[in-house]
Amino acid sequence: MSLPSVDEHAQKLPLEFADEHESLKITGFWMFLVTDVLIFASLFSTYAVFHNSVAAGPTADQLFKMGPVLLETLLLLTSSFTIGLGIYAMRKGQVRALMAWTFLTILLGAGFVTTEIHDFVSFAALHATWHTSAFLSAFDILVGTHGAHVTFGIFWAVTLLFQLKKHGITERTARKIYTFSLYWHFLDIVWVFIFTFVYLNGKLG
Amino acid sequence: MSESEQSITVDEAYEQDNDKSIKFLRPRFHAEAFPTVQIFGYVGSLVLTFAAYFLVMNHVLPVLALLIIILTLAALQAALQLGVFMHVQEGRGMAWQIIPLYLVFLIAFGMVGMSIWIMLFKSGVS
């Protein structure tokens, strides 16, 4: 039997998977995300148990304002879209477009964190801090852990922009951008569950 | 730029290292001239988010029914993000990440689901 002939239309492996070692790091990053799911699952469980234990403090319904929450949701969903388009541009080899989409993602992420910090400060002004009740302890640690992830992601993306500027799209930088996009979309998924199970659930009463 | 170094194809990588009996781990890539899938993913996530929002803010159903519906919408949106943006079916050779993902979703669903379930009995106690 002869070797299969080379198909002219055979699909090329994207650059981030082209090097075996770099590709292994993507699989490794998936393993990290899997463990991160466990962290958030624990925090969601804690919140599920304590979200009605308000002590003398405010209830979720009294505390949450949906305006800023909708804004945060919109910012994060859009940033997930922009980094998705960044990966699309990266696979076409368009380094400037990739950098522009990454930069836009950073701006949207910064807008998210700013809105969230503003929200937390306004809660603190109402003496609704994590000392107040079990509900607020669980709320602050869950939403705060997510916010800390997003903040870290912003700094990470800034370092990637410098690397893209210096090296362009290589097997190594492509893998780094790809793992960053996985991280960012993962945070978007976590936020969707925070939006649903914390904020919307709080309004169910 | 590095197009020339990139000589290996999806099928070659698949042939190189895998157990061909595990069909669902076979990677699938989609390449398109226009980011249709991404736009579909974005619009889909917006629709799901605002559907959940309006259902809750207008209190159209009893509380427990609403909670189940909005959690289902959130799970759908997670699946959308994973499929569209996270390229969960992509990999070199085999998409091994799918197996631990199934496992961790099972654990997370069990842990959070059981916590929600057990707290449903609280009103009868206190």
Side-chain angles (χ1 to χ4, degrees), chain B residues 2-71:
Chain B
S2 312
E3 193 68 27
S4 56
E5 301 165 20
Q6 197 184 332
S7 54
I8 190 165
T9 68
V10 171
D11 289 332
E12 282 164 2
Y14 178 73
E15 290 305 319
Q16 262 178 27
D17 58 344
N18 69 84
D19 177 346
K20 289 176 189 58
S21 62
I22 315 176
K23 290 273 188 280
F24 75 103
L25 292 181
R26 171 152 201 167
R28 274 193 288 277
F29 291 83
H30 49 71
E32 286 185 76
F34 189 76
T36 324
V37 190
Q38 281 84 352
I39 292 167
F40 166 78
Y42 182 50
V43 173
S45 62
L46 285 179
V47 168
L48 289 169
T49 299
F50 283 100
Y53 179 73
F54 284 110
L55 284 177
V56 168
M57 297 318 266
N58 295 316
H59 294 281
V60 292
L61 285 167
V63 169
L64 189 61
L66 267 182
L67 183 63
I68 293 168
I69 290 176
I70 60 175
L71 284 176

Side-chain angles (χ1 to χ4, degrees), chain B residues 23-125:
Chain B
K23 290 273 188 280
F24 75 103
L25 292 181
R26 171 152 201 167
R28 274 193 288 277
F29 291 83
H30 49 71
E32 286 185 76
F34 189 76
T36 324
V37 190
Q38 281 84 352
I39 292 167
F40 166 78
Y42 182 50
V43 173
S45 62
L46 285 179
V47 168
L48 289 169
T49 299
F50 283 100
Y53 179 73
F54 284 110
L55 284 177
V56 168
M57 297 318 266
N58 295 316
H59 294 281
V60 292
L61 285 167
V63 169
L64 189 61
L66 267 182
L67 183 63
I68 293 168
I69 290 176
I70 60 175
L71 284 176
T72 310
L73 289 177
L76 272 178
Q77 198 172 330
L80 194 77
Q81 288 281 333
L82 272 168
V84 171
F85 289 116
M86 293 176 83
H87 313 265
V88 71
Q89 274 284 350
E90 294 186 0
R92 183 196 166 93
M94 300 278 268
W96 285 115
Q97 65 271 13
I98 292 171
I99 290 177
L101 273 175
Y102 275 136
L103 176 63
V104 84
F105 286 150
L106 187 70
I107 296 171
F109 184 77
M111 196 151 65
V112 183
M114 290 297 173
S115 300
I116 295 173
W117 175 75
I118 202 74
M119 292 314 282
L120 292 176
F121 296 92
K122 194 174 154 250
S123 54
V125 177

Side-chain angles (χ1 to χ4, degrees), chain A:
Chain A
M1 196 175 152
S2 65
L3 285 167
S5 61
V6 178
D7 182 0
E8 282 300 313
H9 300 288
Q11 200 176 1
K12 287 280 170 60
L13 209 53
L15 197 55
E16 60 270 27
F17 292 108
D19 179 76
E20 194 166 7
H21 191 67
E22 295 296 338
S23 162
L24 210 53
K25 290 180 178 173
I26 294 175
T27 311
F29 197 80
W30 276 106
M31 301 307 130
F32 160 71
L33 290 183
V34 163
T35 61
D36 227 16
V37 172
L38 290 178
I39 291 178
F40 281 107
S42 317
L43 297 176
F44 272 108
S45 296
T46 313
Y47 186 80
V49 171
F50 287 127
H51 75 288
N52 285 320
S53 310
V54 295
T59 66
D61 191 24
Q62 291 165 341
L63 194 64
F64 296 156
K65 294 191 177 46
M66 291 312 277
V69 174
L70 278 178
L71 177 64
E72 285 170 72
T73 307
L74 206 59
L75 286 170
L76 213 58
L77 285 180
T78 309
S79 77
S80 193
F81 179 51
T82 54
I83 195 67
L85 291 177
I87 296 297
Y88 180 81
M90 181 175 87
R91 292 199 168 165
K92 287 183 169 290
Q94 299 162 344
V95 68
R96 294 188 79 74
L98 168 59
M99 286 176 72
W101 288 122
T102 309
F103 185 65
L104 199 55
T105 306
I106 292 170
L107 287 185
L108 290 163
F112 171 87
V113 173
T114 310
T115 315
E116 186 161 78
I117 289 173
H118 186 266
D119 226 22
F120 271 56
V121 169
S122 75
F123 290 168
L126 299 167
H127 303 291
T129 64
W130 65 1
H131 302 286
T132 310
S133 62
F135 152 61
L136 281 167
S137 302
F139 169 80
D140 279 354
I141 197 78
L142 169 59
V143 181
T145 303
H146 176 269
H149 272 75
V150 176
T151 310
F152 173 77
I154 291 170
F155 288 112
W156 181 8
V158 170
T159 69
L160 292 180
L161 273 185
F162 284 110
Q163 294 180 50
L164 280 176
K165 182 93 186 122
K166 194 172 176 193
H167 303 290
I169 301 174
T170 66
E171 285 169 355
R172 200 173 155 81
T173 55
R175 182 267 300 170
K176 289 183 176 186
I177 292 283
Y178 189 81
T179 49
F180 170 73
S181 86
L182 289 181
Y183 180 79
W184 201 260
H185 297 309
F186 167 74
L187 292 183
D188 190 55
I189 293 178
V190 174
W191 178 259
V192 167
F193 282 102
I194 290 179
F195 175 72
T196 304
F197 191 62
V198 175
Y199 291 104
L200 288 184
N201 192 22
K203 290 295 170 189
L204 281 177

